[in-house]
Amino acid sequence: MSETRIGLLGFGTVGSAVHRLLGESAEAIERVTGEPVVVAGALVRDPSRRRPAPDGLLTTDFARLRDDPSISVVAEVMGGIEPTRTYLLELMAAGKSVVSANKQLLARHGEELFAEAERRGVQLRFEASVCAAIPVVKVLRESMIVTGVHRIDGIVNGTTNFILTRMVSAGDTYAAALHEAQELGYAEADPTEDVTGADAAAKIAILASIAFHTRVRTDEVEHVGIDGLDLVDVRHASALGYQVKLIASAMQVGDAVCARVHPCLLDADHPLASVQGAFNAVMLRGSSIREVILEGPGAGGEETATAVIGDLLAVIGTSGTGFLQHDGYYRELRRLPLDELRSPFYLRFEVDDEPGVLAQVAQALAAESVSVAQVVQHSGRGVHIVILTHTAREGSVRAAARAVAGLGFSRSAPVALPVLVRSA
Ligand code: NAP
Ligand code: HSE
């Protein structure tokens, strides 16, 4: 009886879960594909580490997988840029299709990797690289290929949403919540990628590229993470009825695109406001689809493995390059400056408690045509003036904040967070 033999690059949190789930679902997979799917080998750095792997499965010899003609498809779940990029190019040159969970690699080198896939007539699939178990890549690449999505807003990093949830609802410290996210296998090998927004930046670059049919690279995505977020702003926002979430957004306006990652305030009735723990959610908007929201587990070994296996089976179940590989309609679009984005803003000024201060803050905002919707003053050791603005140009809000920062009564750098509104 024939069988499909696959290789794994990596046997860590995700790789070992792929191996285990393939074993547990062997009967169902055989029913779907018509033949057994067998893992022929898994690449690791240190095979002596204790882990649940059958004898002979683990190897440190990449060439053993690359040069095995019986292996038709390889799942890359090892992460990193090099040697991973070289390995994928060599695998495709050897005629093997590749499935990858590596958002940083795809967001940086996607163009080169897809060109190689096309040249070699093999497939490169990457569902697991964005939002783990949520099939958002398939939805954008297949279901909505010509639908015209013009805006994406999402919580696309499980670790930071887990940390924020724990800090707000359980009162955990930032450090304790991050440690727990690492223990649960949510965080990247280097968790600064999660907390600085770099992981989310790579993911929104991938989603923007496939939604708008243009190459958006991760280094173009301005990202602000939760590492600089002050819990006091989360509390002030909560008092005003808002949740603070790390939001990745991308939009196309005419022939311009932009993508960014930033902590944002969400009104309590915003669909992303209720996303808790390591769950992710992505809101897609377009004139015909209006609003489609996908929500589910955004990190974790088993959750991510489901997406890797879905891609493996899709490769096995299609031949040649399949229609998904044809991206000839990619084009160059100009970049929309972030200063031109418009939304309401949350502003927090830490100031001296003196007469006339509020008037000067209002004056600085008025000078930039920023209109105030709500003002709250919190008094404690210092005074916090918290302002919600009406919809305003981001560049004007930041200019007004800079002007206030330069006034003698300002005690610390002003905080300016966009408020995500559903109708944007
Ligand atoms: P992990 O637990 O650190 O596992 C990485 C595996 O790759 C380990 O088995 C490691 O070998 C192997 N490896 C790394 N560098 C290697 C090299 N140069 N040569 C040979 N083997 C190497 O990582 P993970 O959490 O499974 O994540 C893997 C990938 O999936 C990353 O791209 C990550 O961004 C992505 N991802 C992860 C999640 C998640 O929730 N964890 C979700 C979505 C996507 P050793 O065991 O010998 O060190
Ligand atoms: N570290 C990532 C996260 C894993 O927390 O979202 C999923 O890509």
Side-chain angles (χ1 to χ4, degrees):
M1 185 201 223
S2 65
E3 59 185 25
T4 301
R5 288 166 65 75
I6 69 163
L8 294 177
L9 302 186
F11 202 80
T13 306
V14 181
S16 58
V18 169
H19 181 260
R20 182 170 51 76
L21 289 186
L22 281 173
E24 287 171 9
S25 330
E27 228 174 88
I29 289 173
E30 193 172 335
R31 269 202 310 277
V32 172
T33 64
E35 55 186 35
V37 173
V38 174
V39 182
L43 186 74
V44 293
R45 282 175 296 214
D46 176 9
S48 67
R49 262 186 47 199
R50 247 177 80 80
R51 54 186 130 205
D55 287 348
L57 183 78
L58 302 183
T59 179
T60 55
D61 181 10
F62 168 68
R64 185 186 127 187
L65 302 177
R66 182 195 59 201
D67 299 339
D68 181 343
S70 73
I71 295 177
S72 56
V73 49
V74 173
E76 183 271 299
V77 282
M78 64 185 247
I81 303 296
E82 285 292 357
T84 323
R85 171 186 152 274
T86 305
Y87 286 175
L88 295 200
L89 291 171
E90 290 184 12
L91 287 166
M92 292 191 283
K96 299 183 197 314
S97 288
V98 171
V99 167
S100 175
N102 191 333
K103 66 281 309 205
Q104 294 295 352
L105 180 64
L106 289 158
R108 282 168 212 274
H109 298 285
E111 199 163 354
E112 178 190 28
L113 293 167
F114 284 108
E116 185 65 0
E118 199 143 358
R119 203 157 74 87
R120 304 288 181 180
V122 297
Q123 294 190 33
L124 170 56
R125 288 181 180 250
F126 50 96
E127 185 63 68
S129 66
V130 186
C131 297
I134 307 175
V136 61
V137 170
K138 273 195 184 65
V139 166
L140 282 172
R141 281 189 104 198
E142 299 182 28
S143 317
M144 295 185 182
I145 190 160
V146 292
T147 298
V149 170
H150 67 247
R151 180 161 181 142
I152 305 169
D153 293 294
I155 294 171
V156 298
N157 182 269
T159 300
T160 46
N161 205 52
F162 178 85
I163 292 172
L164 287 173
T165 304
R166 281 301 161 101
M167 287 173 73
V168 172
S169 50
D172 285 4
T173 63
Y174 175 89
L178 172 58
H179 180 71
E180 198 179 343
Q182 289 177 288
E183 293 288 298
L184 290 167
Y186 300 151
E188 294 301 303
D190 175 1
T192 53
E193 283 185 16
D194 296 292
V195 298
T196 60
D199 177 85
K203 290 168 176 168
I204 197 69
I206 292 171
L207 293 183
S209 297
I210 55 181
F212 308 142
H213 314 301
T214 189
R215 300 279 177 213
V216 177
R217 290 165 198 87
T218 189
D219 53 13
E220 297 183 75
V221 182
E222 188 183 289
H223 58 273
V224 175
I226 64 161
D227 49 340
L229 188 65
D230 194 326
L231 197 56
V232 77
D233 293 310
V234 178
R235 294 206 179 105
H236 289 340
S238 169
L240 291 163
Y242 291 86
Q243 294 274 327
V244 177
K245 298 281 185 191
L246 185 65
I247 300 293
S249 300
M251 63 210 77
Q252 179 178 357
V253 181
D255 66 349
V257 289
C258 76
R260 70 112 63 108
V261 175
H262 207 287
C264 288
L265 271 66
L266 301 169
D267 202 351
D269 73 353
H270 194 286
L272 301 182
S274 57
V275 179
Q276 300 291 318
F279 266 46
N280 285 182
V282 183
M283 190 184 214
L284 307 171
R285 274 179 280 178
S287 56
S288 306
I289 58 161
R290 291 161 62 174
E291 185 178 286
V292 170
I293 299 167
L294 303 167
E295 181 178 350
E302 188 164 326
E303 295 84 344
T304 309
T306 63
V308 173
I309 291 172
D311 273 353
L312 285 169
L313 297 183
V315 171
I316 295 166
T318 52
S319 58
T321 61
F323 74 94
L324 295 175
Q325 294 295 305
H326 300 301
D327 60 359
Y329 51 83
Y330 268 65
R331 69 228 183 203
E332 285 305 319
L333 293 177
R334 76 185 168 82
R335 274 29 184 174
L336 186 67
L338 294 178
D339 271 356
E340 297 308 323
L341 299 185
R342 294 178 66 79
S343 75
F345 265 80
Y346 162 97
L347 293 167
R348 194 248 298 163
F349 301 103
E350 191 181 0
V351 295
D352 292 334
D353 195 2
E354 285 170 2
V357 165
L358 185 57
Q360 289 184 66
V361 171
Q363 211 168 18
L365 291 168
E368 293 291 341
S369 306
V370 176
S371 166
V372 173
Q374 211 177 331
V375 182
V376 181
Q377 182 168 320
H378 297 267
S379 299
R381 270 176 295 154
V383 167
H384 286 183
I385 296 178
V386 174
I387 292 180
L388 283 179
T389 74
H390 287 297
T391 296
R393 200 182 142 267
E394 178 151 350
S396 307
V397 172
R398 297 210 182 272
R402 276 196 300 276
V404 174
L407 297 173
F409 57 73
S410 267
R411 289 199 181 177
S412 61
V415 172
L417 304 175
V419 179
L420 206 62
V421 286
R422 202 164 187 178
S423 56

